[in-house]
Amino acid sequence: MRVLGIDPGLTRCGWGVVDGRPGARPAAVGVGVIRSSADLDLELRLLELHTQVTALLREHRPDVVAIERVFTQNNKGTATGTAQAAGVAALAAAQADRPVAWHTPSEVKAAISGNGRADKEQVTLMVTRVLGLAAAPKPADAADALALAVCHVWRGPAQQRLRTAAIAGGIGAPVVQRTLPRWQGVSR
């Protein structure tokens, strides 16, 4: 399974691509950060993020996109920008007909380090070790994106089986899978 992990942000949006399967050591395929200038208007920053995520989807062809679920942050402006970036990444995935998996920060930290309250340094260290990287990914946004991808490789299939079993047992409503029409842009 190939997973594109996205650590959403407007100024720095981390991304990481991992190949793997549960029970096996995952391999890093690519990692980086999408940057946008705070001097640009919001809509242009979101457009830049969308363009770059779309390019990553075309280049790496992931089976799924794992995005950090935005919980709460002390700074409401940061939380809003993070949520907007997450939405743009999810939109790009939907346009590419790729499923999106949402993981909380504590879920990712627990998966990669065994501690749901791990700090950034611990997450980066464990990502480096788990993926057998020669050097730690920088900045932390890139390491977080790889951690998201690893988390999904390890936990995503089990979570899907649990959802399927729950639906088969009459718990919860079935999720209707459908393919969305590809966006063709705005006609002038």
Side-chain angles (χ1 to χ4, degrees):
M1 164 186 346
R2 177 166 284 189
V3 180
L4 169 60
I6 299 286
D7 181 41
L10 275 178
T11 303
R12 287 186 324 269
C13 178
W15 65 270
V17 179
V18 169
D19 283 341
R21 60 183 169 75
R25 184 179 196 157
V29 175
V31 63
V33 174
I34 300 167
R35 297 179 190 274
S36 72
S37 171
D39 296 336
L40 291 175
D41 290 336
L42 175 61
E43 64 273 17
L44 296 178
R45 295 176 80 187
L46 294 172
L47 177 61
E48 178 62 23
L49 178 60
H50 182 270
T51 301
Q52 294 297 320
V53 171
T54 299
L56 290 169
L57 289 162
R58 286 186 182 135
E59 178 183 351
H60 293 288
R61 306 253 181 234
D63 298 303
V64 63
V65 179
I67 303 173
E68 184 176 276
R69 181 182 301 274
V70 179
F71 257 129
T72 59
Q73 294 176 339
N74 294 333
N75 182 333
K76 288 184 182 178
T78 301
T80 300
T82 302
Q84 290 168 327
V88 165
L91 172 64
Q95 288 173 332
D97 200 23
R98 297 292 88 199
V100 173
W102 299 91
H103 297 281
T104 65
S106 59
E107 179 186 357
V108 173
K109 291 173 184 180
I112 198 74
S113 73
N115 176 2
R117 302 178 91 177
D119 62 22
K120 293 249 182 220
E121 291 78 24
Q122 289 173 303
V123 170
T124 299
L125 175 65
M126 290 308 297
V127 164
T128 305
R129 286 184 180 170
V130 165
L131 294 173
L133 302 175
K138 293 191 189 258
D141 308 277
D144 289 349
L146 284 172
L148 272 153
V150 170
C151 174
H152 189 77
V153 164
W154 287 347
R155 293 186 171 196
Q159 289 172 338
Q160 184 58 42
R161 286 191 302 275
L162 288 171
R163 274 197 245 18
T164 301
I167 290 169
I171 302 170
V175 176
V176 178
Q177 295 288 345
R178 65 184 182 97
T179 302
L180 298 174
R182 290 190 183 247
W183 184 67
Q184 300 297 318
V186 177
S187 300
R188 291 192 181 261

